[in-house]
Amino acid sequence: MTYMVDFVQRMEGAGEGGESATAFRQIEFRGDTKQYFGIWIVNLILTLVTLGVWSAWAKVRKTRYLYGNTRLDGHSFDYLAKGWTLLKGRLIVVALIGLYALAGLLSPYAQIAMALLFLPLYPWIINRSLSFSGRMTVYRNIRFHWSGTYWGTFKVTILWPLAAASTLWGLLPMATRASQLYFIRNYSYGTARFSAEAALGAYYRAFLMALMLGFGLSMAIMFVAVAGMGVVAAVFPLSGGGGQVAAEGGFSPTMTGGILAGVAGVYLVSILAFLFVSSFYHALTRNETIAGAALEGGFRFKSTLSGFRLAWISLSNLVAILFTLGMATPWATIRLWRYLCDNFWVAMGPDSASFVDKQVAAGSAFGEEFADIEGFEFGL
Amino acid sequence: MSASGVYYGASVSKAQPARLDVVGGCPRLKIDDGTERNVVIASVSERIAGVPRRITLDDGGAFLAENAAEADALLLELGHVQGERIHRFESVGRRWAVVAVILIVAAAVSLRWVVPALAEAAIVLVPYPAEQRIGYRAYASATSLIFEESKISEERFRQVMNLADELLLVGEPEHRIQVVIHDSPKLGANALAFPGGPIVLTDALIELAPDDDALRGVIAHEIAHVERRHSMKRLLRMTGWAVIAGAVFGDASSLIEEVIAVPSILVDFAYSRAFEAEADARAVELMRLAGADPEAFARFLHLLTEKCGEYCDKTNWLSTHPGTADRVQALKLM
């Protein structure tokens, strides 16, 4: 308590702090796995018992735990969403998916038509989702506000990915940069706007490093796979002997099983490798974007993620969760969150006590509240 | 009772150390700079470990209590008792966590029986025409990939179709089931049943069959699959597992859904063995009704699996059909 009072007083006495006021402060996470395990288990049991309905409240509790135990400069964050709001949004999404599936039952053409109909909705849904999660996030009684436009979001969520894909990912670094900058520039903390600048070169560097990592991994995997298959073939020779009347290439049940195992194995390993490489790329690009971000009032940011460490955490988390049938999930969540917090730094501006929040008009003309949809996001 | 914490005026970030007291049954805010006033509480956040309790006032300001116990006592005095129950469950000690883990594992194991049971129950909700459409669509896409036009003689073609029609009549199925013959180098000597039909026989199978009764056995087996709606049930089961896996693993990690798909499919293979046994039993029934010899079927199975050597005789977790020795044994008992 006194610790907090000290900080508050120092903030009030702006300008006298000098050095200490502009040094980068680390974000502090005070939660631990043991506490979160209790929350996670209760969430899980209630979600299963209510056939998924409770998942909305579960998400709120989880997010509040993570945000509430995350502190910057002695003050914690919070998440103010209510379960009912999340549930309403989710039901809307379920209804849309249901319509899409029903269309599929009629004919593949109906389904395509439905997909085209829904496509224009997508950027709108994302905007609503980002706006909602921003408004529900609060730090020192000030909320975050999303100001992205329909076309801005359309470009970033549909056009840029298309462009990247159609150039064999050659444009991916540009797309990543565009998307991350758009994300930061359209958030504001109360009435104070965030800004971001970043040079394209760093993103291409990150991309090339990720490609090299991916290439190296593929070589290693292929080597292991070929060696492995050789071992398997030596130990389990398939008798292809004579006396077969059936056409060649006929599948026996066990051979099918063996081949299926092989395919499953390759699929699994590819996913893991992809996860590793994309986490690596994500860490590097995130560092770059955050370094160029700023908040009106003299606030600057820094991210010190290590590509390899983040990739390793993502990978080992996934493997641990699988091998423990999900029991390791709380540990994995805390581990990742803590790593992200430990590597996020904020240089405080001279006066963090003078922020003012936007007044959200009650009963806005477009009925904002009814369509609060969460879960559709992109960003850092 | 009094709680210490920080007060924020509406829409400002200035944090003022303050205390919240109960004076005459009403909450009273005492800011450290000396000002104090009665306030009205608009809402209270639920208690979650480590998160400062947020008391929102009706003027838009907020009081964040630093000490959870103090906040609880204060709220209790004011009559606010909600928001506590769930936290109490969440914060039980280590012993409870162990019990919880055991319960979860038991639940996971029970899924082995619960999900198939749910699929059996849910099948009633799937109208047969919908199933037929699914099956036909799957057949249509398979045709372009692995089926080619049949190359057996017209006479033999008609013979086999007559065999099939005979079995279909004898079984008195509720719906019409289509039987088709294709050449399939990729599948070899095989027979497939799509949900709601059609049943596909490959040229190689027809050539390999030593006698008509053997062929009747295979066709009867596939008819049983369609009658009993096995493929559709498998689809429902896999969906069930996917949904539950989604709930459990949820947003635990990136790409977890894709990874979960693999073991979900593998787990399903175990259940297929039960379906195969069921289909065998029904096949024998149909054969007897049609006046055919079930032994011929058992002999044919044995012949079919000679290609894969000793491995087919052992049931392994990757095979969708129980080992031939098991099936032949089971057939002998019928």
Side-chain angles (χ1 to χ4, degrees):
Chain A
M1 175 59 194
T2 39
Y3 169 84
M4 209 160 60
V5 175
D6 280 344
F7 263 110
V8 168
Q9 284 175 343
R10 249 193 283 160
M11 283 299 110
E12 314 291 68
E16 295 165 29
E19 295 274 34
S20 58
T22 53
F24 277 100
R25 291 182 213 278
Q26 205 178 25
I27 291 218
E28 203 194 321
F29 180 63
R30 307 186 327 162
D32 64 60
T33 303
K34 183 160 173 282
Q35 270 181 346
Y36 182 58
F37 186 84
I39 295 179
W40 178 80
I41 272 276
V42 172
N43 278 351
L44 181 59
I45 293 176
L46 286 174
T47 303
L48 288 175
V49 161
T50 58
L51 299 178
V53 174
W54 183 262
S55 63
W57 284 265
K59 167 101 186 263
V60 168
R61 286 193 83 80
K62 170 188 179 185
T63 312
R64 281 203 66 214
Y65 178 77
L66 292 176
Y67 283 22
N69 280 288
T70 302
R71 302 207 153 199
L72 167 64
D73 195 31
H75 302 269
S76 59
F77 291 79
D78 207 344
Y79 184 64
L80 303 179
K82 297 282 173 263
W84 280 115
T85 322
L86 261 65
L87 185 65
K88 269 189 288 172
R90 288 177 175 202
L91 288 177
I92 292 176
V93 173
V94 166
L96 290 177
I97 294 177
L99 280 174
Y100 179 74
L102 261 141
L105 233 75
L106 289 172
S107 90
Y109 297 107
Q111 202 163 46
I112 295 176
M114 199 114 255
L116 287 175
L117 209 75
F118 284 160
L119 194 66
L121 271 180
Y122 189 60
W124 180 81
I125 290 180
I126 293 194
N127 273 340
R128 297 242 38 86
S129 188
L130 288 169
S131 169
F132 178 71
S133 50
R135 257 181 299 125
M136 297 297 122
T137 307
V138 65
Y139 174 69
R140 291 183 67 154
N141 204 36
I142 308 277
R143 300 168 186 239
F144 293 80
H145 300 277
W146 172 252
S147 55
T149 61
Y150 180 85
W151 285 113
T153 304
F154 186 88
K155 266 190 281 178
V156 157
T157 55
I158 295 179
L159 291 183
W160 269 115
L162 269 178
S166 57
T167 55
L168 287 183
W169 310 117
L171 286 181
L172 180 67
M174 282 188 81
T176 308
R177 175 177 173 273
S179 148
Q180 292 185 348
L181 289 181
Y182 178 72
F183 181 78
I184 295 191
R185 286 174 180 161
N186 281 289
Y187 262 117
S188 46
Y189 176 63
T191 49
R193 288 205 69 124
F194 282 96
S195 60
E197 289 300 331
L200 186 56
Y203 293 86
Y204 270 98
R205 241 178 295 136
F207 185 53
L208 284 171
M209 287 173 71
L211 279 181
M212 289 199 294
L213 179 65
F215 186 69
L217 271 178
S218 316
M219 291 287 111
I221 291 170
M222 275 204 288
F223 178 76
V224 170
V226 167
M229 280 204 299
V231 169
V232 170
V235 174
F236 300 109
L238 286 172
S239 63
Q244 291 156 39
V245 184
E248 71 167 43
F251 279 88
S252 67
T254 311
M255 217 164 99
T256 318
I259 291 181
L260 268 162
V263 172
V266 171
Y267 181 67
L268 216 73
V269 173
S270 333
I271 291 185
L272 293 176
F274 178 74
L275 180 65
F276 193 83
V277 174
S278 61
S279 297
F280 180 84
Y281 176 69
H282 179 74
L284 265 58
T285 53
R286 191 173 191 264
N287 284 354
E288 187 59 34
T289 311
I290 289 178
L295 176 63
E296 255 180 277
F299 288 76
R300 288 181 350 268
F301 306 91
K302 186 167 73 175
S303 168
T304 51
L305 295 172
S306 150
F308 283 111
R309 179 100 189 114
L310 185 70
W312 168 247
I313 289 178
S314 305
L315 184 69
S316 49
N317 274 356
L318 183 58
V319 171
I321 291 171
L322 282 178
F323 275 93
T324 57
L325 296 179
M327 289 290 116
T329 305
W331 168 81
T333 306
I334 298 292
R335 185 176 174 226
L336 179 64
W337 187 266
R338 184 185 302 275
Y339 183 65
L340 292 174
C341 287
D342 284 351
N343 288 282
F344 194 94
W345 306 73
V346 181
M348 312 291 293
D351 190 4
S352 60
S354 64
F355 283 104
V356 177
D357 203 353
K358 276 189 191 164
Q359 303 300 330
V360 181
S364 78
F366 296 96
E368 276 194 353
E369 309 307 312
F370 98 91
D372 276 333
I373 298 174
E374 54 76 47
F376 286 84
E377 303 189 350
F378 69 95
L380 301 164
Chain B
M1 203 45 235
S2 152
S4 61
V6 178
Y7 169 74
Y8 296 93
S11 305
V12 291
S13 67
K14 176 166 168 166
Q16 302 169 52
R19 300 191 72 83
L20 197 59
D21 275 335
V22 181
V23 174
C26 290
R28 190 169 179 82
L29 180 69
K30 296 176 177 167
I31 304 177
D32 279 14
D33 65 2
T35 57
E36 56 178 81
R37 64 175 195 276
N38 279 350
V39 290
V40 178
I41 295 178
S43 69
V44 180
S45 70
E46 289 196 7
R47 182 164 172 197
I48 296 186
V51 179
R53 207 79 181 270
R54 183 186 193 87
I55 298 171
T56 313
L57 309 175
D58 70 341
D59 63 357
F63 176 81
L64 261 57
E66 251 315 306
N67 187 309
E70 280 179 6
D72 284 346
L74 178 82
L75 292 167
L76 188 64
E77 207 178 321
L78 289 166
H80 265 277
V81 283
Q82 300 114 322
E84 262 300 295
R85 266 165 305 167
I86 300 180
H87 173 79
R88 239 178 281 139
F89 281 113
E90 288 171 351
S91 53
V92 283
R94 205 168 299 235
R95 210 179 314 146
W96 239 82
V98 171
V99 170
V101 170
I102 293 175
L103 281 176
I104 294 291
V105 173
V109 169
S110 83
L111 279 179
R112 201 178 182 283
W113 290 278
V114 169
V115 171
L118 283 176
E120 291 283 336
I123 195 89
V124 222
L125 296 171
V126 181
Y128 200 76
E131 184 176 345
Q132 272 183 317
R133 199 171 284 127
I134 292 174
Y136 195 77
R137 204 93 62 71
Y139 167 64
S141 13
T143 303
S144 47
L145 292 168
I146 52 177
F147 294 145
E148 292 168 23
E149 211 176 304
S150 172
K151 299 177 180 66
I152 61 174
S153 69
E154 243 196 80
E155 197 199 321
R156 186 69 178 130
F157 190 91
R158 238 173 295 137
Q159 275 179 351
V160 175
M161 290 310 236
N162 284 338
L163 280 183
D165 285 335
E166 205 185 305
L167 284 165
L168 283 169
L169 250 138
V170 136
E172 293 170 7
E174 281 172 45
H175 308 273
R176 208 184 134 261
I177 301 175
Q178 207 189 357
V179 178
V180 296
I181 304 176
H182 281 284
D183 182 25
S184 179
K186 292 207 179 91
L187 287 181
N190 227 318
L192 306 174
F194 289 92
I199 293 173
V200 178
L201 309 167
T202 63
D203 286 0
L205 183 82
I206 295 171
E207 281 163 28
L208 189 61
D211 51 68
D212 279 354
D213 272 357
L215 210 50
R216 281 195 179 94
V218 177
I219 298 176
H221 176 99
E222 298 302 328
I223 290 176
H225 274 321
V226 178
E227 273 182 341
R228 303 273 189 263
R229 309 180 78 178
H230 288 165
S231 301
M232 196 64 223
K233 285 181 185 170
R234 287 187 63 185
L235 276 174
L236 287 175
R237 273 203 316 242
M238 283 197 254
T239 310
W241 271 311
V243 166
I244 294 186
V248 174
F249 298 96
D251 46 9
S253 169
S254 342
L255 300 182
I256 190 103
E257 304 269 332
E258 283 77 4
V259 176
I260 285 305
V262 176
S264 309
I265 295 172
L266 290 177
V267 172
D268 188 66
F269 279 175
Y271 286 91
S272 302
R273 278 180 260 158
F275 280 169
E276 291 303 312
E278 197 182 324
D280 279 344
R282 175 66 175 154
V284 168
E285 199 183 315
L286 283 174
M287 287 183 81
R288 290 222 172 95
L289 282 170
D293 175 25
E295 286 265 322
F297 181 34
R299 281 196 300 267
F300 189 28
L301 275 182
H302 204 75
L303 177 69
L304 269 174
T305 54
E306 252 168 19
K307 285 178 292 156
C308 60
E310 317 101 42
Y311 306 100
C312 303
D313 282 324
K314 302 197 180 61
T315 303
N316 63 58
W317 70 292
L318 284 175
S319 62
T320 60
H321 304 77
T324 314
D326 287 356
R327 290 178 78 185
V328 170
Q329 193 75 342
L331 282 168
K332 282 208 171 86
L333 290 169
M334 292 188 214

